């Protein structure tokens, strides 16, 4: 079963991978590495470029959350108190840079931090994005 919400994350960052694994426990979110061809295709269709940023795409809502907005939306979906979501959103760049240094990643995330309407071109490739996402643990049983 394909998800209706997919998180695109830095799959080469061990810290990001652990966070994505934890977030996949949300019933309605699956995750895919930024480096996956389907993620690259989706990002190019949505943004007319391929930003290096955490992105949460939600087909049902017709929204794409990027950077700090994605972090806040994920915190909200996980049921964390509002202040935690605000702290994550407001400190996303600092957290992302610290994680990048700790993991040896050679680049900082691009400056994308808003909520965007899901473009038609991106919606057209969403099924491939969702089918390439790592299966939700409940889907494996």
């Amino acid at each position: 079963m394909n998800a209706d919400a997919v998180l695109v994350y830095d799959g080469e960052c061990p810290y990001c991978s652990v966070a994505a694994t934890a977030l996949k426990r949300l019933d309605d979110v699956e995750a895919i590495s930024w480096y996956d061809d389907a993620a690259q295709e989706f990002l190019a269709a949505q943004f007319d470029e391929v930003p290096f940023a955490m992105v949460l795409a939600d087909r049902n809502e017709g929204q794409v959350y990027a950077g700090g907005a994605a972090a806040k939306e994920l915190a909200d979906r996980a049921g964390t108190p509002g202040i935690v979501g605000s702290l994550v959103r407001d400190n996303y760049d600092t957290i992302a840079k610290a994680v990048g240094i700790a993991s040896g990643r050679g680049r900082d995330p691009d400056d994308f931090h808003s909520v965007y309407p899901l473009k038609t071109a991106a919606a057209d490739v969403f099924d491939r994005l969702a089918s390439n996402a790592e299966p939700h643990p409940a889907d494996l049983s």
Side-chain angles (χ1 to χ4, degrees):
M1 178 176 129
N2 287 347
D4 289 317
V6 177
L7 172 67
V8 178
Y9 71 99
D10 181 0
E12 292 186 0
C13 164
Y15 301 101
C16 303
S17 297
V18 167
T21 299
L23 291 168
K24 285 191 312 181
R25 301 218 178 271
L26 295 172
D27 289 338
D28 62 343
V29 178
E30 290 187 0
I32 188 169
S33 171
W34 182 88
Y35 301 95
D36 187 284
D37 290 343
Q40 297 285 300
E41 180 182 18
F42 175 83
L43 293 169
Q46 175 65 35
F47 296 104
D48 300 323
E49 60 182 294
V50 182
F52 186 65
M54 179 172 62
V55 172
L56 175 66
D58 191 311
R59 172 179 23 205
N60 286 343
E61 291 182 1
Q63 300 286 345
V64 176
Y65 305 83
K72 181 182 182 311
E73 179 65 17
L74 287 165
D76 290 349
R77 290 183 186 206
T80 56
I83 192 159
V84 174
S86 295
L87 286 170
V88 169
R89 180 197 65 227
D90 295 344
N91 294 292
Y92 173 83
D93 283 331
T94 303
I95 294 166
K97 286 179 184 180
V99 166
I101 291 168
S103 68
R105 181 179 64 216
R107 64 192 290 188
D108 289 332
D110 291 327
D111 193 21
F112 285 75
H113 299 290
S114 297
V115 180
Y116 306 87
L118 179 64
K119 287 185 174 179
T120 301
D124 289 345
V125 298
F126 188 92
D127 282 339
R128 181 165 181 250
L129 180 76
S131 66
N132 278 25
E134 299 161 20
H136 189 279
D139 295 339
L140 298 175
S141 49

